[in-house]
Amino acid sequence: MSKKPVWNIFQRGFALRIGRLVVLSTLLVVLVYGCIATVYASKTIFKVKKNYAVVLEKLGGAREAVTDVGWHVRLPLFTRIEQEVTLMNQTLFLGGSNDPMRIITRDNVALWTSALLTYRIRDLKIWAIENLQPMTLLQGDYDGIVKDLMQAETVVHLISERHQVKEDIFKALKSRPINEGGPTLEEKYGIEVISFVLKETRFGDQLVAASEEKKRRELIAEAENYAADQEASRIRKLYAAYLDGISTLQKAVGRPDGSTDMALLRFLVQQKWASAYEKNQTGQNTVVIQNTSSDGPSITLPLLGEHPGEKDGGGKNQQLNAVSSTPSTILAPTVPK
C-alpha cells in the first residue's frame, strides 16, 4: 500500500523531464534553423559560382567585385550585395525582343528584321561599377548602331547581300566608335562582341502583295511596250520597202533627160494601191484609171469575162469614161462576176 504513491510520483517526474527535453530540443532546432535561414536570406555567407561574379557595396560606399569561386563571408550590416553578374556568353535581341523590328530603308521601303548579338563581359569594373543599368544602356546603343547601318542601305542590298550586311554590322559593333571620337561599344561597357547574326529580313505581308501586283503590272507594260516596238519596226520596214519600190519605179519610168513622167508614175502608184485594196476586198474588182488631161479620149472597158468585141443584151458596150480635171481621180466600180 505504501509503494504506489512513490511510483506515481516517479512516473510524473519522468514524464515532465521528457517533455521539457522535447520542448528544449524543438526550440533549439527552431533557433538553429532560424539563424541559418537568416544568414542565408541576408546572404551573410554567399557563394560565387564559376563564370559568375558578385559586386559588393561596402559601408563607406566603395564597390568591389568578387570573382574568386567558392564561399565568402560578409558583414551583414556593413556590406551589401549589389548584383550578381554572369561572365558567360550572353545574347541581346534587336529591340530587346525576339519579334521582328520594322525599319525603313534608304529607298523608303519598309522591312521587318530581327538580329541577335552575342557578347561577354570582360571588365567588371567598367560594366558594373562605371555604368548604371548597363543592360539598358547597351540595348540603346546596340539598337541605334544596327538601325543606322541597315536604314542606310537599299532594299535590294539588304535582301540580296545579307551576308555582307551582317559582316559590316559586326565590324561596326566591334570597332566603330559610337560617336566620332568617342569609345567603341567594347570600350564603353567592358565587353567583347562575340558574334552578330541577322535572323531574318523580309517584307511585310501587305507590301509583298503590293510588290507582286507592281511586278505584274510591270510585266504587262513591258509586254505592251515590246508589242508596240515590234509594230513600229514592222511599219518602218514596210515604209522603207514602199519608198524603195517607189524610188525604183521612179527610176524605171524616168526620161532620158533625168526628169520623171509624173502622170505615169502616179498611175502606176495608184494601180499598186488598187491591187493591195483588191486583195483585201471580197466580191468586187477594182480598176483605177488615170487621165492626164481633161480632153483625153474615153476608155472603153469590157465586162469581166467578155471579149472587147462582144455586145451585151442591149447591143451597147459597157463604157466607162474617166474624165477628170485632176490627175489623181480614182474610179472603183463594182462589176458583178
Side-chain angles (χ1 to χ4, degrees):
M1 298 296 294
S2 61
K3 291 182 179 181
K4 286 185 177 180
V6 176
W7 178 251
N8 291 335
I9 292 172
F10 177 76
Q11 286 181 336
R12 287 195 297 271
F14 180 76
L16 290 174
R17 285 196 299 271
I18 294 298
R20 285 195 296 270
L21 182 61
V22 171
V23 171
L24 289 175
S25 299
T26 303
L27 290 176
L28 181 61
V29 170
V30 170
L31 181 62
V32 171
Y33 180 80
C35 292
I36 294 175
T38 302
V39 171
Y40 181 80
S42 61
K43 294 184 178 180
T44 302
I45 299 176
F46 63 93
K47 180 176 68 174
V48 177
K49 297 177 287 185
K50 185 177 181 180
N51 288 329
Y52 279 84
V54 173
V55 178
L56 292 178
E57 181 182 355
K58 297 183 178 180
L59 181 63
R63 300 162 76 188
E64 179 184 359
V66 181
T67 58
D68 296 333
V69 179
W71 291 96
H72 300 268
V73 179
R74 69 176 182 86
L75 297 176
L77 299 178
F78 302 99
T79 58
R80 180 176 70 90
I81 296 179
E82 185 178 82
Q83 60 177 310
E84 186 179 22
V85 182
T86 177
L87 303 179
M88 294 181 288
N89 289 347
Q90 302 182 63
T91 57
L92 192 63
F93 288 99
L94 184 64
S97 173
N98 192 27
D99 298 330
M101 174 185 286
R102 184 173 181 267
I103 63 171
I104 305 297
T105 61
R106 187 176 65 186
D107 43 3
N108 200 28
V109 177
L111 287 180
W112 291 93
T113 184
S114 60
L116 183 65
L117 171 70
T118 303
Y119 69 96
R120 177 182 293 179
I121 299 172
R122 292 299 189 187
D123 194 332
L124 279 172
K125 180 176 181 298
I126 298 176
W127 174 266
I129 297 177
E130 295 184 2
N131 286 285
L132 179 64
Q133 298 179 344
M135 284 296 299
T136 304
L137 296 175
L138 177 60
Q139 183 74 63
D141 289 339
Y142 165 61
D143 291 346
I145 293 175
V146 174
K147 290 180 67 176
D148 287 345
L149 292 175
M150 295 191 70
Q151 294 188 158
E153 301 290 344
T154 61
V155 62
V156 175
H157 191 258
L158 288 176
I159 297 297
S160 61
E161 302 291 338
R162 289 184 70 249
H163 174 73
Q164 185 61 42
V165 173
K166 179 190 68 174
E167 293 300 323
D168 293 342
I169 295 177
F170 173 73
K171 293 177 182 178
L173 292 173
K174 195 167 183 66
S175 58
R176 173 181 168 179
I178 301 174
N179 299 102
E180 186 176 354
T184 64
L185 211 62
E186 293 184 340
E187 294 171 348
K188 181 178 179 180
Y189 297 103
I191 64 174
E192 177 187 0
V193 176
I194 304 299
S195 65
F196 173 79
V197 176
L198 274 176
K199 298 182 64 178
E200 64 174 332
T201 304
R202 61 177 176 83
F203 295 105
D205 296 336
Q206 295 181 353
L207 186 57
V208 170
S211 300
E212 291 178 352
E213 178 64 19
K214 181 181 178 182
K215 185 176 181 180
R216 186 184 69 84
R217 293 183 178 181
E218 288 177 350
L219 290 175
I220 293 174
E222 184 177 353
E224 291 177 349
N225 291 336
Y226 177 77
D229 292 340
Q230 292 291 90
E231 181 66 17
S233 177
R234 188 182 68 85
I235 293 175
R236 284 194 297 269
K237 290 179 180 178
L238 288 176
Y239 185 69
Y242 173 75
L243 290 181
D244 184 64
I246 295 301
S247 177
T248 303
L249 182 60
Q250 186 175 5
K251 292 179 180 179
V253 299
R255 294 172 179 170
D257 58 356
S259 61
T260 302
D261 189 344
M262 298 304 297
L264 181 58
L265 177 63
R266 281 193 292 269
F267 174 76
L268 294 176
V269 171
Q270 289 175 355
Q271 290 297 326
K272 184 177 180 180
W273 284 113
S275 299
Y277 178 77
E278 181 181 359
K279 292 178 182 179
N280 292 297
Q281 299 293 324
T282 59
Q284 57 181 336
N285 297 317
T286 303
V287 180
V288 178
I289 299 174
Q290 172 70 31
N291 192 11
T292 58
S293 63
S294 59
D295 55 352
S298 61
I299 301 176
T300 301
L301 297 178
L303 284 174
L304 190 63
E306 291 186 354
H307 295 287
E310 295 180 356
K311 303 280 185 154
D312 61 355
K316 296 182 179 179
N317 291 332
Q318 293 290 334
Q319 294 183 351
L320 182 61
N321 296 332
V323 181
S324 174
S325 60
T326 61
S328 60
T329 303
I330 300 176
L331 302 178
T334 301
V335 181
K337 294 183 179 179

